[in-house]
Amino acid sequence: MQGSLINSSYGSMPDKALVPMRNGRPDHQLADALTKVSPQAQTKAKASAQDFEAVFLNSMFSQMTSGIKGEGPFGDTPGTGVWRSMLTEQYSKNFAKNGGIGISNDVFRTLILQQANRARQ
């Protein structure tokens, strides 16, 4: 599974090179863009990228669990659907926070590159 620019496992900046990695290679374009974007904007972009991935994952998890009838400890009660939706929401947030499936990497990169281009103009 692909890691995250946001987490330290993938895309982190090595101590010596200080260049973010993308697909196992240095991403000099992103490194240059990061110098043009404020740390506050970078933090906001990371949060937005994670939130976007969490929404996507929540949609995916909801589809995965939509066919499950009232099995499990809660049976088939009116509250089961509400409980299941809250559970899938928390699953998706935690999954995205811990690296997710890599969507947040590309969203973060795109947001930073767009902000750097806007700052240049």
Side-chain angles (χ1 to χ4, degrees):
M1 177 173 17
Q2 185 178 13
S4 170
L5 281 173
I6 298 166
N7 295 331
S8 62
S9 62
Y10 167 85
S12 64
M13 295 187 182
D15 292 334
K16 296 179 183 177
L18 292 179
V19 175
M21 303 295 281
R22 183 169 187 222
N23 297 326
R25 296 182 178 174
D27 190 350
H28 297 290
Q29 187 179 16
L30 178 59
D32 182 51
L34 287 170
T35 63
K36 298 174 185 169
V37 177
S38 72
Q40 295 84 7
Q42 291 178 31
T43 302
K44 191 173 179 180
K46 287 177 188 180
S48 296
Q50 263 187 358
D51 290 345
F52 179 83
E53 184 165 14
V55 168
F56 172 79
L57 290 171
N58 189 27
S59 176
M60 187 175 69
F61 291 155
S62 294
Q63 287 295 315
M64 287 172 35
T65 60
S66 66
I68 299 174
K69 301 299 177 201
E71 299 170 4
F74 299 104
D76 193 13
T77 64
T80 302
V82 175
W83 176 82
R84 189 170 287 136
S85 69
M86 291 188 296
L87 181 64
T88 58
E89 181 180 352
Q90 290 305 310
Y91 280 162
S92 63
K93 286 180 181 179
N94 285 325
F95 203 84
K97 182 180 176 184
N98 291 307
I101 57 175
I103 293 172
S104 63
N105 295 340
D106 291 328
V107 172
F108 173 74
R109 185 177 189 277
T110 301
L111 290 172
I112 294 297
L113 292 176
Q114 287 177 347
Q115 290 178 22
N117 286 336
R118 200 173 318 140
R120 184 175 54 180
Q121 295 174 350

